[in-house]
């Protein structure tokens, strides 16, 4: 989501009013770099490269009944190398809603207009919905099949993410990323 100016210390009940735009974000983790970074105690820096944004952002009211004021209740299709790996509902099983995330981010600082806040990977408890994250897919494979069949992304691999409204129209446009050498 993209917020307007948020005062420091806002509570979750007040925070939803600061949501100005909703957008789809693909947050990438470079898993091989993260352990060393965490050992240094500096948190994720090199292990979290640029995130991708969908080509379209919408105001919450444009989602109609799919927006409950704190969550988006629409389906998200996730593909890895053109094969579907998940069709998840974004609002179902969301542990922390957008208002709670804003309140947490603004606990010790105000947030300026234009601040992007991501909700993390979408995940549903129903295993039939699939996954939105390759790390989660690998864990599922380990439990179900005794081994991780899917590798983390390599050059040439492609991830596609898209959210659809109740009429099956794309809401934000697709994020379609191919991993290429720098």
């Amino acid at each position: 989501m993209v917020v307007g100016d948020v005062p420091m210390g806002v509570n979750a009940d007040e925070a939803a009013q600061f949501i100005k735009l909703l957008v789809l974000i693909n947050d990438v983790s470079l898993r091989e770099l993260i352990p060393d970074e965490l050992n240094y105690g500096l948190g994720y820096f090199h292990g979290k490269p640029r995130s991708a944004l969908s080509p379209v952002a919408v105001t919450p009211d444009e989602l109609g009944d799919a927006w409950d004021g704190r969550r988006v209740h629409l389906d998200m299709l996730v593909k890895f190398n053109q094969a579907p790996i998940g069709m998840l509902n974004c609002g179902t099983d969301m542990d922390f809603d957008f208002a709670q995330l804003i309140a947490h981010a603004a606990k010790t600082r105000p947030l300026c207009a234009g601040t992007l806040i991501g909700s993390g990977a979408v995940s549903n408890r129903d295993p039939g919905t699939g996954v939105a994250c390759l790390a989660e897919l690998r864990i599922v494979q380990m439990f179900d099949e005794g081994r991780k069949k899917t590798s983390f992304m390599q050059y040439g691999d492609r991830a596609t993410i898209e959210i659809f409204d109740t009429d099956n129209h794309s809401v934000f446009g697709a994020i379609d990323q191919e991993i290429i050498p720098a």
Side-chain angles (χ1 to χ4, degrees):
M1 73 193 122
V2 181
V3 299
D5 288 318
V6 179
M8 181 173 69
V10 68
N11 67 49
D13 291 331
E14 301 167 331
Q17 69 181 309
F18 298 104
I19 299 170
K20 302 302 179 192
L21 295 170
L22 297 163
V23 64
L24 186 57
I25 301 173
N26 187 20
D27 169 28
V28 176
S29 297
L30 302 176
R31 302 268 177 205
E32 290 183 13
L33 299 179
I34 290 172
D36 286 340
E37 287 193 305
L38 292 178
N39 286 336
Y40 288 119
L42 299 174
Y44 298 167
F45 185 72
H46 297 289
K48 293 301 246 182
R50 293 183 294 193
S51 295
L53 298 178
S54 58
V56 176
V58 300
T59 58
D61 64 301
E62 291 179 82
L63 297 178
D65 292 340
W67 175 248
D68 69 8
R70 296 170 79 122
R71 289 180 175 89
V72 175
H73 294 278
L74 291 173
D75 291 333
M76 180 176 74
L77 175 63
V78 181
K79 294 180 183 177
F80 179 56
N81 290 329
Q82 306 302 336
I85 62 170
M87 179 60 96
L88 307 109
N89 185 279
C90 297
T92 302
D93 303 325
M94 187 178 188
D95 289 328
F96 302 101
D97 65 41
F98 289 121
Q100 290 171 307
L101 295 171
I102 293 168
H104 181 73
K107 183 175 182 174
T108 60
R109 68 191 52 92
L111 306 175
C112 65
T115 298
L116 283 167
I117 299 176
S119 64
V122 173
S123 182
N124 293 157
R125 291 183 183 94
D126 175 1
T129 62
V131 299
C133 170
L134 288 182
E136 186 177 349
L137 176 61
R138 290 165 49 87
I139 291 169
V140 168
Q141 290 171 343
M142 182 60 111
F143 282 116
D144 290 351
E145 303 171 39
R147 67 184 183 90
K148 300 171 186 170
K149 293 184 348 186
T150 304
S151 66
F152 288 121
M153 294 184 81
Q154 307 291 318
Y155 295 135
D157 284 341
R158 175 173 242 106
T160 308
I161 306 167
E162 194 164 10
I163 292 178
F164 297 92
D165 66 15
T166 55
D167 294 324
N168 207 32
H169 297 117
S170 181
V171 175
F172 303 102
I175 294 176
D176 186 12
Q177 293 176 282
E178 181 180 357
I179 303 301
I180 58 173

